[in-house]
Amino acid sequence: MASESATTDGSNIAANDSPKNVPNFSHVPWPVRPRDAINYDFVATLYLIGSALALSFYLLETKILAPLLVENNDVNAATTANASDSTTTEDSGEEGNAWKEFANGMQGMYFIFVPFVPCLLWSLVVRHFWIKETKKISLEKKDN
């Protein structure tokens, strides 16, 4: 290709005559430099959903399931003291045990989704630079 030049190590690099309709992110620091073919609205939306799941599971555990977890710890202490009284069960007791098992299963579930929160912050910064550059290009196209 005539518009590409070969370096000494054999790799090709594009010449300085890049088209005007391609965003130039060379001025952006590398950790937050957007890529041309990625839609950062989509990326930020997915990270927002993951962060919302983390917040939802955290609130579920601390606000709704916390009484069951505290009650479950108290029941465990009482059953170890009175092991001989554990032979009688009622229907409502079995239903209560199911909710307690659910509460135990959900304990710490938000830790799985917590890494989405810093990723959301990163994607919002990258999205800012992406929108800034794409708006500049669309304005240049509009002017021409």
Side-chain angles (χ1 to χ4, degrees):
M1 298 194 153
S3 66
E4 293 181 355
S5 61
T7 60
T8 57
D9 63 352
S11 64
N12 290 334
I13 56 172
N16 289 337
D17 57 345
S18 63
K20 285 191 173 192
N21 61 355
V22 177
N24 182 11
F25 298 114
S26 62
H27 64 283
V28 180
W30 72 267
V32 292
R33 184 176 297 152
R35 300 288 173 235
D36 294 338
I38 297 175
N39 183 346
Y40 287 96
D41 289 332
F42 179 73
V43 172
T45 302
L46 289 181
Y47 284 143
L48 179 66
I49 291 169
S51 298
L53 282 172
L55 180 65
S56 299
F57 283 135
Y58 177 75
L59 291 175
L60 177 71
E61 181 180 328
T62 58
K63 302 297 180 192
I64 298 171
L65 299 177
L68 291 173
L69 293 170
V70 170
E71 184 180 307
N72 193 17
N73 290 338
D74 293 342
V75 168
N76 286 340
T79 55
T80 56
N82 300 328
S84 63
D85 293 338
S86 64
T87 57
T88 60
T89 59
E90 299 176 6
D91 291 335
S92 62
E94 290 176 6
E95 184 177 318
N97 286 337
W99 279 108
K100 289 175 188 174
E101 287 181 31
F102 175 74
N104 280 334
M106 292 299 293
Q107 193 173 10
M109 185 69 73
Y110 65 92
F111 282 122
I112 296 170
F113 296 98
V114 165
F116 281 97
V117 176
C119 291
L120 172 64
L121 298 175
W122 170 83
S123 71
L124 290 175
V125 171
V126 174
R127 182 179 172 272
H128 167 74
F129 288 117
W130 176 69
I131 288 175
K132 188 174 160 182
E133 189 68 29
T134 53
K135 275 187 179 179
K136 186 169 83 172
I137 287 182
S138 66
L139 288 175
E140 287 175 1
K141 281 183 180 179
K142 198 177 206 180
D143 290 341
N144 292 335

